[in-house]
Coordinates of all heavy atoms in Angstrom, one line a residue:
M102 N 177.6 -30.1 29.5 CA 177.4 -31.3 30.3 C 178.0 -31.2 31.7 O 178.5 -32.1 32.2 CB 178.0 -32.5 29.5 CG 177.2 -32.8 28.2 SD 175.6 -33.4 28.7 CE 174.5 -32.2 27.9
K103 N 177.9 -30.0 32.2 CA 178.5 -29.8 33.6 C 177.7 -30.6 34.6 O 178.3 -31.1 35.6 CB 178.5 -28.3 33.9 CG 179.2 -27.9 35.1 CD 179.2 -26.4 35.3 CE 180.0 -26.0 36.6 NZ 179.6 -26.7 37.8
V104 N 176.5 -30.7 34.4 CA 175.6 -31.4 35.4 C 176.0 -32.8 35.5 O 176.2 -33.4 36.6 CB 174.1 -31.3 35.0 CG1 173.3 -32.1 36.0 CG2 173.7 -29.8 35.1
D105 N 176.3 -33.5 34.4 CA 176.7 -34.9 34.4 C 178.0 -35.1 35.2 O 178.2 -36.0 36.0 CB 176.8 -35.4 33.0 CG 175.4 -35.7 32.4 OD1 174.5 -35.9 33.2 OD2 175.3 -35.7 31.2
L106 N 179.0 -34.2 34.9 CA 180.3 -34.3 35.6 C 180.1 -34.1 37.1 O 180.7 -34.9 37.8 CB 181.2 -33.2 35.0 CG 181.8 -33.6 33.6 CD1 182.6 -32.4 33.1 CD2 182.7 -34.8 33.7
D107 N 179.4 -33.1 37.5 CA 179.2 -32.9 38.9 C 178.5 -34.1 39.6 O 178.9 -34.5 40.7 CB 178.3 -31.7 39.1 CG 179.1 -30.4 38.9 OD1 180.3 -30.5 38.8 OD2 178.5 -29.3 38.7
F108 N 177.6 -34.7 38.9 CA 176.9 -35.8 39.4 C 177.8 -37.0 39.7 O 177.9 -37.6 40.7 CB 175.7 -36.2 38.5 CG 174.9 -37.4 39.0 CD1 174.0 -37.2 40.1 CD2 175.0 -38.6 38.4 CE1 173.3 -38.2 40.6 CE2 174.3 -39.7 38.9 CZ 173.4 -39.5 40.0
K109 N 178.7 -37.3 38.7 CA 179.6 -38.4 38.8 C 180.6 -38.1 39.9 O 180.9 -39.0 40.7 CB 180.4 -38.6 37.5 CG 179.6 -39.5 36.5 CD 180.3 -39.6 35.2 CE 179.4 -40.1 34.1 NZ 179.8 -39.7 32.8
E110 N 181.1 -36.9 40.0 CA 182.1 -36.6 41.1 C 181.5 -36.7 42.4 O 182.1 -37.3 43.3 CB 182.6 -35.1 40.9 CG 183.7 -35.0 39.9 CD 184.3 -33.6 39.9 OE1 184.0 -32.8 40.8 OE2 185.0 -33.4 38.9
S111 N 180.2 -36.3 42.6 CA 179.6 -36.4 43.9 C 179.3 -37.9 44.2 O 179.4 -38.3 45.4 CB 178.3 -35.6 43.9 OG 177.4 -36.1 43.0
V112 N 179.1 -38.7 43.3 CA 178.9 -40.1 43.5 C 180.2 -40.8 44.1 O 180.2 -41.5 45.0 CB 178.4 -40.9 42.3 CG1 178.5 -42.4 42.4 CG2 177.0 -40.5 42.0
H113 N 181.3 -40.4 43.5 CA 182.6 -40.9 43.9 C 183.0 -40.4 45.3 O 183.5 -41.1 46.1 CB 183.7 -40.6 42.9 CG 183.6 -41.5 41.7 ND1 183.9 -42.9 41.8 CD2 183.4 -41.3 40.4 CE1 183.8 -43.4 40.6 NE2 183.4 -42.5 39.8
G114 N 182.8 -39.1 45.5 CA 183.3 -38.5 46.7 C 182.4 -38.6 47.9 O 182.9 -38.7 49.0
T115 N 181.1 -38.5 47.7 CA 180.2 -38.4 48.9 C 179.1 -39.4 48.8 O 177.9 -39.0 48.7 CB 179.7 -37.0 49.0 OG1 179.1 -36.6 47.8 CG2 180.8 -36.0 49.3
I116 N 179.4 -40.7 48.7 CA 178.4 -41.7 48.5 C 177.4 -41.7 49.7 O 176.2 -41.7 49.6 CB 179.0 -43.1 48.3 CG1 179.7 -43.1 46.9 CG2 177.9 -44.2 48.4 CD1 180.4 -44.4 46.7
K117 N 178.0 -41.5 50.9 CA 177.1 -41.6 52.1 C 176.2 -40.4 52.1 O 175.0 -40.5 52.5 CB 178.0 -41.6 53.3 CG 178.5 -43.0 53.6 CD 179.3 -43.1 54.9 CE 180.0 -44.5 55.0 NZ 180.9 -44.5 56.1
V118 N 176.7 -39.2 51.8 CA 175.9 -38.0 51.8 C 174.7 -38.2 50.7 O 173.6 -37.9 51.0 CB 176.7 -36.8 51.5 CG1 175.8 -35.6 51.4 CG2 177.7 -36.6 52.6
Q119 N 175.1 -38.7 49.6 CA 174.1 -38.9 48.5 C 173.0 -39.8 49.0 O 171.8 -39.6 48.8 CB 174.8 -39.6 47.3 CG 175.5 -38.7 46.4 CD 174.6 -37.8 45.6 OE1 173.6 -38.2 45.1 NE2 175.0 -36.5 45.5
F120 N 173.4 -40.9 49.8 CA 172.4 -41.8 50.3 C 171.4 -41.1 51.1 O 170.2 -41.4 51.0 CB 173.2 -42.9 51.1 CG 172.2 -43.9 51.7 CD1 171.7 -44.9 50.9 CD2 171.9 -43.9 53.0 CE1 170.9 -45.9 51.4 CE2 171.0 -44.8 53.5 CZ 170.5 -45.8 52.7
F121 N 171.8 -40.2 52.0 CA 170.9 -39.5 52.8 C 170.1 -38.4 52.1 O 169.0 -38.1 52.4 CB 171.6 -38.9 54.0 CG 172.0 -39.9 55.0 CD1 173.4 -40.2 55.2 CD2 171.1 -40.6 55.8 CE1 173.8 -41.2 56.1 CE2 171.5 -41.5 56.7 CZ 172.8 -41.8 56.9
L122 N 170.7 -37.9 51.0 CA 170.0 -36.9 50.3 C 169.0 -37.4 49.4 O 168.1 -36.7 49.0 CB 171.1 -36.1 49.4 CG 171.9 -35.0 50.2 CD1 172.9 -34.4 49.3 CD2 171.0 -34.0 50.8
I123 N 169.1 -38.7 49.0 CA 168.2 -39.2 48.0 C 166.7 -39.0 48.4 O 165.9 -38.7 47.6 CB 168.5 -40.7 47.8 CG1 169.7 -40.8 46.8 CG2 167.3 -41.4 47.1 CD1 170.3 -42.2 46.7
K124 N 166.4 -39.2 49.7 CA 165.0 -39.1 50.1 C 164.5 -37.7 50.0 O 163.4 -37.5 49.6 CB 164.9 -39.5 51.6 CG 164.9 -41.0 51.8 CD 164.8 -41.4 53.2 CE 165.0 -42.9 53.4 NZ 165.1 -43.3 54.8
T125 N 165.4 -36.7 50.3 CA 164.9 -35.3 50.2 C 164.8 -34.8 48.8 O 163.9 -34.0 48.5 CB 165.8 -34.4 51.1 OG1 167.1 -34.6 50.7 CG2 165.5 -34.6 52.5
V126 N 165.6 -35.3 47.9 CA 165.6 -34.7 46.5 C 164.8 -35.7 45.6 O 164.9 -35.6 44.4 CB 167.0 -34.5 46.0 CG1 167.7 -33.5 46.8 CG2 167.8 -35.8 45.9
N127 N 164.1 -36.5 46.2 CA 163.4 -37.5 45.4 C 162.5 -36.9 44.3 O 162.4 -37.4 43.2 CB 162.5 -38.4 46.3 CG 162.1 -39.7 45.7 OD1 162.9 -40.2 44.9 ND2 161.0 -40.3 46.1
Y128 N 161.9 -35.8 44.6 CA 161.0 -35.2 43.6 C 161.8 -34.4 42.5 O 161.2 -33.9 41.6 CB 160.0 -34.3 44.3 CG 159.0 -35.1 45.1 CD1 159.1 -35.2 46.5 CD2 158.0 -35.7 44.5 CE1 158.2 -35.9 47.2 CE2 157.0 -36.4 45.2 CZ 157.2 -36.6 46.5 OH 156.3 -37.3 47.2
Q129 N 163.1 -34.3 42.7 CA 163.8 -33.5 41.7 C 164.8 -34.5 41.1 O 165.8 -34.0 40.5 CB 164.6 -32.4 42.4 CG 163.6 -31.3 43.0 CD 164.4 -30.3 43.8 OE1 165.6 -30.4 43.9 NE2 163.6 -29.4 44.3
K130 N 164.6 -35.7 41.1 CA 165.5 -36.7 40.5 C 165.6 -36.5 39.0 O 164.7 -36.0 38.4 CB 165.2 -38.1 40.9 CG 163.9 -38.6 40.3 CD 163.6 -40.0 40.8 CE 162.3 -40.4 40.3 NZ 161.9 -41.7 40.9
K131 N 166.8 -36.9 38.5 CA 167.0 -36.7 37.1 C 166.0 -37.5 36.3 O 165.6 -38.6 36.7 CB 168.4 -37.2 36.8 CG 169.5 -36.2 37.0 CD 170.8 -36.9 36.7 CE 171.5 -36.2 35.6 NZ 172.8 -36.9 35.2
G132 N 165.7 -36.9 35.1 CA 164.9 -37.7 34.2 C 163.4 -37.4 34.3 O 162.7 -37.7 33.4
V133 N 163.0 -36.7 35.4 CA 161.6 -36.4 35.4 C 161.3 -35.2 34.5 O 162.0 -34.2 34.5 CB 161.2 -36.0 36.9 CG1 159.7 -35.5 36.9 CG2 161.3 -37.2 37.7
C134 N 160.3 -35.3 33.7 CA 159.9 -34.2 32.8 C 159.7 -32.9 33.5 O 158.9 -32.9 34.4 CB 158.7 -34.6 32.0 SG 158.1 -33.3 30.9
S135 N 160.4 -31.9 33.1 CA 160.3 -30.6 33.8 C 159.0 -29.9 33.4 O 158.6 -28.9 34.1 CB 161.5 -29.7 33.5 OG 161.6 -29.6 32.1
T136 N 158.3 -30.3 32.3 CA 157.1 -29.6 31.9 C 155.9 -30.1 32.8 O 155.1 -29.3 33.2 CB 156.8 -29.9 30.4 OG1 158.0 -29.5 29.7 CG2 155.6 -29.1 29.9
C137 N 155.8 -31.4 33.0 CA 154.7 -31.9 33.7 C 155.1 -32.4 35.1 O 154.3 -32.9 35.9 CB 154.0 -33.0 32.9 SG 155.1 -34.4 32.7
N138 N 156.4 -32.3 35.4 CA 156.9 -32.8 36.7 C 156.6 -34.2 37.0 O 156.3 -34.7 38.1 CB 156.3 -31.9 37.9 CG 157.0 -30.6 38.0 OD1 158.2 -30.5 37.8 ND2 156.3 -29.5 38.3
G139 N 156.5 -35.0 35.9 CA 156.3 -36.4 36.0 C 154.9 -36.8 36.1 O 154.5 -38.0 36.3
S140 N 153.9 -35.8 36.0 CA 152.5 -36.2 36.1 C 152.0 -36.8 34.8 O 150.9 -37.3 34.8 CB 151.7 -34.9 36.5 OG 151.5 -34.1 35.4
K141 N 152.7 -36.6 33.7 CA 152.4 -37.2 32.4 C 151.3 -36.4 31.7 O 151.1 -36.7 30.5 CB 152.1 -38.7 32.5 CG 153.2 -39.5 33.2 CD 152.8 -40.9 33.3 CE 153.8 -41.7 34.1 NZ 153.4 -43.1 34.3
S142 N 150.6 -35.6 32.4 CA 149.5 -34.8 31.8 C 150.0 -33.5 31.3 O 150.9 -32.9 32.0 CB 148.4 -34.6 32.7 OG 147.6 -35.8 32.8
K143 N 149.5 -32.9 30.3 CA 149.8 -31.6 29.9 C 149.5 -30.6 31.0 O 148.4 -30.7 31.6 CB 148.9 -31.2 28.7 CG 149.6 -30.7 27.5 CD 148.6 -30.4 26.4 CE 149.2 -30.6 25.0 NZ 148.3 -30.4 23.9
P144 N 150.4 -29.6 31.2 CA 150.1 -28.7 32.3 C 148.7 -28.0 32.0 O 148.4 -27.6 30.9 CB 151.2 -27.7 32.1 CG 152.3 -28.4 31.5 CD 151.7 -29.4 30.6
G145 N 147.9 -27.9 33.1 CA 146.6 -27.3 33.0 C 145.5 -28.3 32.7 O 144.3 -28.0 32.8
T146 N 145.9 -29.6 32.5 CA 144.9 -30.6 32.3 C 145.0 -31.6 33.4 O 146.0 -31.8 34.1 CB 145.0 -31.4 31.0 OG1 146.3 -32.1 31.0 CG2 145.1 -30.4 29.8
Q147 N 143.9 -32.3 33.7 CA 143.9 -33.3 34.8 C 143.7 -34.7 34.2 O 143.0 -34.9 33.3 CB 142.7 -33.0 35.7 CG 142.8 -31.7 36.4 CD 143.7 -31.8 37.6 OE1 143.9 -32.8 38.2 NE2 144.4 -30.7 37.9
P148 N 144.4 -35.7 34.8 CA 144.2 -37.0 34.4 C 142.8 -37.5 34.9 O 142.4 -37.1 36.0 CB 145.3 -37.8 35.0 CG 145.8 -37.0 36.1 CD 145.5 -35.6 35.8
Q149 N 142.2 -38.3 34.1 CA 140.9 -38.8 34.6 C 141.1 -40.1 35.3 O 142.1 -40.8 35.1 CB 140.0 -39.1 33.4 CG 139.3 -37.8 32.9 CD 138.3 -38.1 31.8 OE1 138.0 -39.2 31.5 NE2 137.8 -37.0 31.3
K150 N 140.1 -40.5 36.1 CA 140.1 -41.7 36.8 C 140.0 -42.9 35.8 O 139.2 -42.8 34.9 CB 138.9 -41.8 37.8 CG 139.1 -42.7 39.0 CD 138.1 -42.3 40.1 CE 136.8 -42.9 39.8 NZ 135.9 -42.8 40.9
C151 N 140.8 -43.9 36.0 CA 140.8 -45.0 35.1 C 139.5 -45.7 35.3 O 139.1 -46.1 36.5 CB 141.9 -46.0 35.4 SG 141.9 -47.5 34.5
G152 N 138.8 -46.0 34.2 CA 137.4 -46.6 34.3 C 137.5 -48.1 34.6 O 136.6 -48.7 35.1
T153 N 138.6 -48.7 34.2 CA 138.7 -50.2 34.4 C 138.8 -50.6 35.9 O 138.2 -51.5 36.3 CB 140.0 -50.7 33.6 OG1 139.9 -50.2 32.3 CG2 140.0 -52.2 33.6
C154 N 139.6 -49.8 36.6 CA 139.9 -50.2 38.0 C 139.2 -49.1 39.0 O 139.4 -49.2 40.2 CB 141.4 -50.2 38.3 SG 142.2 -48.6 38.0
Q155 N 138.4 -48.2 38.4 CA 137.8 -47.2 39.2 C 138.8 -46.4 40.0 O 138.5 -45.9 41.1 CB 136.7 -47.8 40.2 CG 135.6 -48.6 39.4 CD 134.9 -47.7 38.4 OE1 134.5 -46.5 38.7 NE2 134.6 -48.2 37.2
G156 N 140.0 -46.2 39.5 CA 140.9 -45.3 40.1 C 141.8 -45.9 41.2 O 142.6 -45.3 41.8
S157 N 141.5 -47.2 41.4 CA 142.3 -47.8 42.5 C 143.7 -48.3 42.0 O 144.6 -48.4 42.8 CB 141.5 -49.0 43.1 OG 141.6 -50.1 42.1
G158 N 143.8 -48.5 40.8 CA 145.1 -49.0 40.2 C 145.3 -50.5 40.3 O 146.2 -51.1 39.8
F159 N 144.3 -51.1 40.9 CA 144.4 -52.6 41.0 C 143.1 -53.2 40.5 O 142.0 -52.7 40.6 CB 144.5 -53.0 42.5 CG 145.9 -52.7 43.0 CD1 146.2 -51.6 43.7 CD2 146.9 -53.6 42.8 CE1 147.4 -51.3 44.2 CE2 148.2 -53.4 43.2 CZ 148.5 -52.2 43.9
M160 N 143.2 -54.4 40.1 CA 142.1 -55.2 39.7 C 142.1 -56.5 40.6 O 143.1 -57.0 40.9 CB 142.2 -55.7 38.2 CG 142.2 -54.5 37.3 SD 142.3 -55.1 35.6 CE 140.7 -55.8 35.4
T161 N 140.9 -56.8 41.0 CA 140.7 -58.0 41.9 C 140.3 -59.2 41.0 O 139.4 -59.1 40.3 CB 139.7 -57.7 43.0 OG1 140.0 -56.5 43.6 CG2 139.7 -58.8 44.0
L162 N 141.1 -60.3 41.1 CA 140.8 -61.5 40.4 C 140.4 -62.6 41.4 O 141.1 -62.8 42.3 CB 142.1 -62.0 39.6 CG 142.3 -61.3 38.3 CD1 143.5 -62.1 37.6 CD2 141.1 -61.4 37.4
R163 N 139.3 -63.2 41.1 CA 138.9 -64.3 41.9 C 139.1 -65.6 41.2 O 138.7 -65.8 40.1 CB 137.4 -64.2 42.2 CG 137.1 -63.2 43.3 CD 135.6 -63.0 43.5 NE 135.3 -62.0 44.4 CZ 135.3 -62.1 45.8 NH1 135.6 -63.3 46.3 NH2 135.0 -61.1 46.5
Q164 N 139.8 -66.5 41.9 CA 140.0 -67.8 41.3 C 139.7 -68.8 42.4 O 140.5 -69.1 43.3 CB 141.5 -68.0 40.9 CG 141.8 -67.2 39.6 CD 143.0 -67.7 39.0 OE1 143.9 -68.3 39.6 NE2 143.2 -67.5 37.7
G165 N 138.4 -69.3 42.4 CA 138.0 -70.1 43.5 C 138.0 -69.4 44.8 O 137.5 -68.3 44.9
P166 N 138.7 -70.0 45.8 CA 138.7 -69.3 47.1 C 139.8 -68.2 47.2 O 139.9 -67.5 48.2 CB 139.1 -70.5 48.1 CG 139.9 -71.4 47.2 CD 139.3 -71.3 45.8
M167 N 140.6 -68.2 46.2 CA 141.7 -67.2 46.2 C 141.2 -65.9 45.6 O 140.5 -65.8 44.6 CB 142.9 -67.7 45.3 CG 143.4 -69.0 45.8 SD 144.9 -68.8 46.7 CE 146.0 -68.3 45.4
V168 N 141.6 -64.8 46.2 CA 141.4 -63.5 45.7 C 142.8 -62.8 45.4 O 143.6 -62.7 46.4 CB 140.6 -62.6 46.6 CG1 140.3 -61.2 46.0 CG2 139.2 -63.2 46.9
M169 N 143.0 -62.5 44.2 CA 144.3 -61.9 43.9 C 144.2 -60.5 43.4 O 143.2 -60.1 42.7 CB 145.0 -62.7 42.7 CG 145.3 -64.1 43.2 SD 146.5 -64.9 42.0 CE 145.6 -64.9 40.5
K170 N 145.1 -59.7 43.9 CA 145.1 -58.3 43.4 C 146.2 -58.1 42.4 O 147.3 -58.5 42.6 CB 145.4 -57.4 44.6 CG 144.2 -56.7 45.2 CD 144.6 -55.6 46.1 CE 143.4 -54.8 46.5 NZ 143.8 -53.7 47.4
M171 N 145.8 -57.6 41.3 CA 146.8 -57.4 40.2 C 146.8 -55.9 39.8 O 145.8 -55.2 39.8 CB 146.4 -58.2 38.9 CG 146.6 -59.6 39.1 SD 146.1 -60.4 37.5 CE 147.2 -59.6 36.4
P172 N 147.9 -55.4 39.4 CA 147.9 -54.0 38.8 C 147.0 -53.9 37.6 O 147.0 -54.8 36.8 CB 149.4 -53.8 38.4 CG 150.2 -54.8 39.2 CD 149.3 -56.0 39.4
C173 N 146.3 -52.9 37.5 CA 145.3 -52.7 36.4 C 146.1 -52.6 35.1 O 147.1 -51.9 35.0 CB 144.6 -51.4 36.6 SG 143.6 -50.9 35.2
Q174 N 145.7 -53.4 34.1 CA 146.4 -53.4 32.9 C 146.1 -52.2 32.0 O 146.9 -51.9 31.1 CB 146.1 -54.7 32.1 CG 146.6 -55.9 32.9 CD 146.5 -57.2 32.1 OE1 146.0 -57.2 31.0 NE2 147.2 -58.2 32.6
T175 N 145.1 -51.5 32.3 CA 144.7 -50.4 31.5 C 145.6 -49.2 31.8 O 146.2 -48.5 31.0 CB 143.2 -50.0 31.6 OG1 142.5 -51.1 31.3 CG2 142.9 -48.9 30.7
C176 N 145.8 -49.0 33.2 CA 146.5 -47.8 33.6 C 147.8 -48.2 34.2 O 148.6 -47.4 34.7 CB 145.7 -47.0 34.6 SG 145.3 -48.0 36.1
H177 N 148.2 -49.5 34.2 CA 149.4 -50.0 34.7 C 149.6 -49.6 36.2 O 150.7 -49.2 36.7 CB 150.6 -49.5 33.9 CG 150.5 -49.9 32.5 ND1 150.7 -51.2 32.0 CD2 150.1 -49.2 31.4 CE1 150.5 -51.2 30.7 NE2 150.1 -50.0 30.3
G178 N 148.5 -49.7 37.0 CA 148.6 -49.5 38.4 C 148.6 -48.1 38.9 O 148.7 -47.8 40.0
E179 N 148.4 -47.2 37.9 CA 148.4 -45.8 38.3 C 147.0 -45.3 38.8 O 146.9 -44.3 39.4 CB 148.9 -44.9 37.2 CG 150.3 -45.4 36.8 CD 151.2 -44.2 36.4 OE1 150.7 -43.1 36.5 OE2 152.3 -44.4 36.0
G180 N 146.0 -45.9 38.3 CA 144.6 -45.5 38.7 C 144.2 -44.3 37.9 O 143.1 -43.7 38.2
K181 N 145.0 -43.8 36.9 CA 144.7 -42.6 36.2 C 144.7 -42.9 34.7 O 145.5 -43.7 34.2 CB 145.7 -41.5 36.6 CG 145.5 -41.0 37.9 CD 146.5 -39.9 38.2 CE 147.9 -40.4 38.5 NZ 148.8 -39.4 39.0
K182 N 143.9 -42.1 34.0 CA 144.0 -42.2 32.6 C 144.4 -40.8 32.0 O 143.8 -39.8 32.4 CB 142.6 -42.6 32.1 CG 142.5 -42.8 30.6 CD 141.1 -43.4 30.3 CE 140.5 -42.6 29.1 NZ 139.1 -43.0 28.9
I183 N 145.5 -40.8 31.3 CA 146.0 -39.5 30.8 C 145.2 -39.2 29.6 O 145.2 -39.8 28.5 CB 147.5 -39.6 30.5 CG1 148.3 -40.2 31.6 CG2 148.0 -38.3 30.0 CD1 148.2 -39.4 32.9
V184 N 144.4 -38.1 29.7 CA 143.6 -37.7 28.6 C 144.4 -36.8 27.6 O 144.3 -36.9 26.4 CB 142.3 -36.9 29.1 CG1 141.3 -36.7 27.9 CG2 141.7 -37.7 30.2
H185 N 145.2 -35.9 28.2 CA 146.0 -35.0 27.3 C 147.4 -35.3 27.7 O 147.9 -34.7 28.6 CB 145.6 -33.6 27.6 CG 144.2 -33.3 27.3 ND1 143.7 -33.2 26.0 CD2 143.1 -33.1 28.1 CE1 142.4 -32.9 26.0 NE2 142.0 -32.9 27.3
P186 N 148.1 -36.1 27.0 CA 149.5 -36.4 27.3 C 150.4 -35.2 27.2 O 150.2 -34.4 26.3 CB 149.9 -37.5 26.3 CG 148.7 -38.0 25.7 CD 147.7 -36.9 25.8
C187 N 151.3 -35.1 28.1 CA 152.3 -34.0 28.0 C 153.1 -34.1 26.7 O 153.5 -35.2 26.3 CB 153.2 -34.1 29.2 SG 154.7 -33.0 29.2
T188 N 153.3 -33.0 26.0 CA 153.9 -33.0 24.7 C 155.4 -33.3 24.7 O 155.9 -34.2 24.0 CB 153.7 -31.7 24.0 OG1 152.3 -31.4 24.1 CG2 154.0 -31.8 22.5
P189 N 156.2 -32.6 25.5 CA 157.7 -32.9 25.5 C 158.1 -34.3 25.8 O 159.0 -34.8 25.2 CB 158.3 -31.9 26.5 CG 157.3 -30.8 26.6 CD 155.9 -31.5 26.4
C190 N 157.4 -34.9 26.8 CA 157.8 -36.2 27.2 C 156.8 -37.3 26.6 O 156.9 -38.5 26.9 CB 157.8 -36.4 28.7 SG 156.1 -36.2 29.5
K191 N 155.9 -36.8 25.7 CA 154.9 -37.7 25.1 C 154.2 -38.6 26.1 O 153.9 -39.8 25.8 CB 155.7 -38.6 24.1 CG 156.3 -37.8 22.9 CD 157.0 -38.8 21.9 CE 157.6 -38.0 20.8 NZ 158.8 -37.3 21.3
G192 N 153.9 -38.0 27.2 CA 153.0 -38.7 28.2 C 153.8 -39.7 29.0 O 153.2 -40.5 29.7
S193 N 155.1 -39.8 28.9 CA 155.9 -40.7 29.7 C 156.2 -40.2 31.1 O 156.5 -41.0 32.0 CB 157.1 -41.2 29.0 OG 158.0 -40.1 28.9
G194 N 156.2 -38.9 31.3 CA 156.6 -38.3 32.5 C 158.2 -38.3 32.7 O 158.7 -37.8 33.7
V195 N 158.9 -38.8 31.7 CA 160.3 -38.9 31.8 C 160.9 -37.9 30.8 O 160.5 -37.9 29.6 CB 160.8 -40.3 31.6 CG1 162.4 -40.4 31.6 CG2 160.2 -41.3 32.6
E196 N 161.9 -37.2 31.2 CA 162.5 -36.2 30.3 C 163.2 -37.0 29.2 O 164.1 -37.8 29.5 CB 163.4 -35.3 31.0 CG 163.8 -34.1 30.2 CD 164.2 -33.0 31.2 OE1 164.9 -33.3 32.1 OE2 163.9 -31.8 30.9
T197 N 163.0 -36.7 28.0 CA 163.7 -37.3 26.9 C 164.8 -36.4 26.4 O 164.5 -35.3 26.0 CB 162.7 -37.7 25.7 OG1 162.0 -36.5 25.5 CG2 161.8 -38.8 26.1
K198 N 166.0 -36.9 26.5 CA 167.1 -36.1 26.1 C 167.7 -36.6 24.8 O 167.8 -37.8 24.6 CB 168.2 -36.1 27.2 CG 167.8 -35.4 28.5 CD 169.0 -35.4 29.5 CE 168.5 -34.6 30.7 NZ 169.4 -34.8 31.8
P199 N 168.1 -35.7 24.0 CA 168.7 -36.1 22.7 C 170.0 -36.9 22.9 O 170.7 -36.6 23.8 CB 169.0 -34.8 22.0 CG 169.0 -33.7 23.0 CD 168.1 -34.2 24.1
A200 N 170.2 -37.9 22.1 CA 171.4 -38.8 22.3 C 172.6 -37.9 21.9 O 172.5 -37.1 21.0 CB 171.2 -40.0 21.4
K201 N 173.7 -38.3 22.5 CA 174.9 -37.5 22.3 C 175.5 -37.9 20.9 O 175.4 -39.0 20.5 CB 176.0 -37.9 23.4 CG 175.7 -37.1 24.6 CD 176.7 -37.5 25.7 CE 176.3 -36.9 27.0 NZ 177.1 -37.5 28.1
Ligands
ZN529 ZN1 156.0 -34.2 30.5
ZN530 ZN1 143.2 -48.8 35.9

């Protein structure tokens, strides 16, 4: 568990540095599945366009004169449909670690 200790120490010691680093290491943040890199699809497979929102991730609702945009409920705003979910993370894109 060396990584966890290092992470805590750096939070205490160099909060300002961490703040600036967050933007650059955004794609390597903890918890992203290393198999699919957070794409949620099995490596080698492509997610399909969500048919409900046509890939936009949003649904347009008309209520009288009002037009509301809502996140698509089928793909939860992602615009993609995972056809072959990544196995280690079960399609969540988040690395699942065994409980201590
Ligand atoms: Zn994965
Ligand atoms: Zn959708």
